[in-house]
């Protein structure tokens, strides 16, 4: 994506970068959101996988891997074993 500013708009470089960051920025995903999705899938008797989590949370699998702590990975394995 490209953001074009009008010449002599009066904005400084840092203001322009701030605006671009707000427009193009990534979706923030917390561990709590991932954990809640895991619990919902477990309650529905679904096997928990990163691909299914990414579909449910509308993000990429890379985002799930990036925001998933070691504790969440262990919890995912425990929930899958209890199915």
């Amino acid at each position: 994506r490209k953001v074009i500013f009008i010449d002599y708009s009066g904005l400084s470089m840092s203001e322009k970068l701030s605006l671009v960051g707000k427009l193009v920025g990534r979706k923030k995903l917390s561990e709590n959101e991932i954990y809640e999705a895991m619990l919902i899938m477990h309650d529905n008797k679904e096997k928990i996988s990163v691909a299914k989590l990414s579909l449910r949370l509308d993000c990429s699998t890379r985002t799930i891997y990036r925001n998933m702590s070691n504790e969440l990975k262990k919890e995912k394995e425990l929930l899958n074993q209890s199915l």
Side-chain angles (χ1 to χ4, degrees):
R1 295 184 185 152
K2 196 179 256 188
V3 179
I4 301 173
F5 292 95
I6 298 172
D7 289 342
Y8 310 109
S9 64
L11 296 173
S12 70
M13 182 62 78
S14 63
E15 291 171 326
K16 290 178 184 178
L17 290 172
S18 174
L19 286 171
V20 170
K22 288 177 185 173
L23 292 173
V24 183
R26 290 185 192 164
K27 177 183 174 186
K28 299 293 181 190
L29 190 65
S30 70
E31 287 187 12
N32 288 336
E33 290 173 306
I34 295 172
Y35 186 62
E36 287 178 25
M38 286 169 50
L39 290 177
I40 291 169
M41 291 174 73
H42 182 262
D43 290 342
N44 292 336
K45 307 273 191 264
E46 294 178 50
K47 185 172 189 239
I48 301 167
S49 69
V50 173
K52 288 181 183 178
L53 283 172
S54 68
L55 287 174
R56 183 174 289 273
L57 295 171
D58 193 31
C59 64
S60 68
T61 56
R62 177 71 184 115
T63 301
I64 300 292
Y65 282 118
R66 189 182 314 114
N67 292 302
M68 201 170 191
S69 67
N70 288 332
E71 293 172 5
L72 277 179
K73 290 175 186 173
K74 289 177 186 174
E75 184 69 21
K76 179 181 85 122
E77 294 303 319
L78 287 173
L79 289 173
N80 279 336
Q81 286 176 0
S82 67
L83 285 179

